Amino acid sequence: MASLTPVEDVIREKITAALQPTTLEIHNDSHLHAHHQAMQGVTSKETHFRVIIASEAFQSKMQPARHRLVYSLLKDELAQEGGIHALQLRTMTPEEDAKRRAREAEVE
Amino acid sequence: MFSRTVFQATRQAARRPSPFLTPFSLAPSSVSQRRLLSDVVRQAIDKAVSSAPVVLFMKGTPETPQCGFSRASIQVLGLQGVNPEKFAAYNVLEDQELRNGIKEYSDWPTIPQLYVDKEFVGGCDIIVSMHQSGELAKMLEEKGVVVKEEGSNESKPE
């Protein structure tokens, strides 16, 4: 059976293979943006993604370099007509991810 | 031919005092999109990037952003108190060449894009996270591009 989320599947596959993430959350926010002018005539339900990644691969890289690394993995999907229109990224090292979790636990 | 319009528009814009100039003219859309960045477009973007200390390439204008991420970025720059005289915004929706060219120029596939002192800083996520961590305030302060107000509170990272 064909996947209902082909784009999300590709994102997961490519990021998992290339970055071996310790955290990988993929949120599909497309429904929030379906009414946008830019989305007129686009039938894909997978246009807007928010992705949270923790990986050793981000070690000693500044944020722009980390984002570029992810963008380069998803180059084709971003360039495609009707492909990924928006990609929000949160890129952390595993240590930064642990700190974030500790901070969030504190707040709760 | 279209290249001349890009050049002329940019040159004209340099004389305009408005901080929110949108110097790229509407280019003919018949031009093939996904090709290598031409020297002319690259030079035009070079000029745009150096037209002010803080430059944002966005969808829409600062007054009427056409995309939530561009809106968020403008709001952050506003909260940071960026001096309008040291700021320029370029509407990529007005020029297809700019829209495609800036992606290749910056090696960055999405809009908005922020430049400070001709250096690429990042897109919306980076702008917002630097805003939250206090890094952005520190950088803008160091670059001297923030309006100083008497008795204003010091910006705090949290």
Side-chain angles (χ1 to χ4, degrees):
Chain A
M1 202 180 92
S3 167
L4 293 172
T5 56
V7 181
E8 185 175 331
D9 296 349
V10 169
I11 296 175
R12 179 164 289 109
E13 275 163 32
K14 288 191 171 174
I15 291 179
T16 302
L19 305 177
Q20 284 110 43
T22 53
T23 296
L24 176 57
E25 291 176 33
I26 303 177
H27 304 272
N28 183 347
D29 292 339
S30 306
H31 59 288
L32 301 173
H33 304 272
H35 61 285
H36 284 186
Q37 205 178 357
M39 290 296 99
Q40 269 177 17
V42 175
T43 52
S44 168
K45 300 282 183 218
E46 297 187 280
T47 53
H48 291 67
F49 285 97
R50 183 161 46 89
V51 183
I52 301 171
I53 312 165
S55 166
E56 284 292 346
F58 297 140
Q59 207 67 254
S60 72
K61 282 192 174 69
M62 303 285 278
Q63 284 296 342
R66 296 178 185 184
H67 284 213
R68 279 199 180 103
L69 186 56
V70 180
Y71 288 147
S72 69
L73 293 173
L74 302 172
K75 200 167 180 264
D76 296 340
E77 288 71 23
L78 283 159
Q80 246 163 42
E81 211 48 57
I84 301 175
H85 176 77
L87 181 62
Q88 273 182 276
L89 291 178
R90 183 153 182 190
T91 48
M92 299 165 287
T93 62
E95 293 80 56
E96 289 163 353
D97 192 25
K99 273 188 216 158
R100 168 187 76 122
R101 285 167 194 279
R103 227 179 12 246
E104 283 171 7
E106 224 168 80
V107 174
E108 276 159 24
Chain B
M1 201 173 75
F2 57 87
S3 56
R4 279 191 61 202
T5 61
V6 174
F7 256 133
Q8 286 165 352
T10 325
R11 213 180 293 133
Q12 280 162 10
R15 295 199 300 267
R16 283 171 54 186
S18 163
F20 298 142
L21 33 85
T22 51
F24 279 83
S25 68
L26 200 66
S29 54
S30 58
V31 183
S32 158
Q33 305 309 342
R34 307 203 185 281
R35 61 162 58 151
L36 288 177
L37 195 53
S38 73
D39 285 347
V40 176
V41 174
R42 181 176 291 280
Q43 283 165 14
I45 296 176
D46 274 338
K47 278 191 180 177
V49 162
S50 40
S51 64
V54 181
V55 176
L56 186 71
F57 295 91
M58 63 181 291
K59 290 183 179 172
T61 63
E63 294 82 3
T64 50
Q66 298 294 317
C67 154
F69 302 111
S70 288
R71 181 190 306 276
S73 303
I74 275 290
Q75 278 172 345
V76 166
L77 296 179
L79 286 170
Q80 291 286 343
V82 169
N83 186 344
E85 287 172 19
K86 301 196 170 167
F87 174 71
Y90 292 80
N91 180 3
V92 303
L93 298 180
E94 278 190 2
D95 191 308
Q96 199 62 37
E97 281 195 315
L98 172 62
R99 185 175 182 173
N100 292 319
I102 190 65
K103 294 178 182 177
E104 192 178 330
Y105 183 92
S106 308
D107 185 21
W108 198 264
T110 54
I111 311 289
Q113 298 183 9
L114 178 69
Y115 278 83
V116 175
D117 270 356
K118 299 183 220 176
E119 267 183 59
F120 180 78
V121 175
C124 181
D125 296 324
I126 290 177
I127 295 170
V128 170
S129 77
M130 286 178 74
H131 173 62
Q132 288 165 344
S133 71
E135 277 174 272
L136 190 60
K138 187 164 169 273
M139 181 180 75
L140 295 172
E141 182 85 17
E142 282 171 6
K143 302 284 186 187
V145 295
V146 181
V147 179
K148 293 215 169 54
E149 280 180 66
E150 288 290 319
S152 67
N153 291 329
E154 259 188 19
S155 60
K156 285 177 186 155
E158 278 161 333

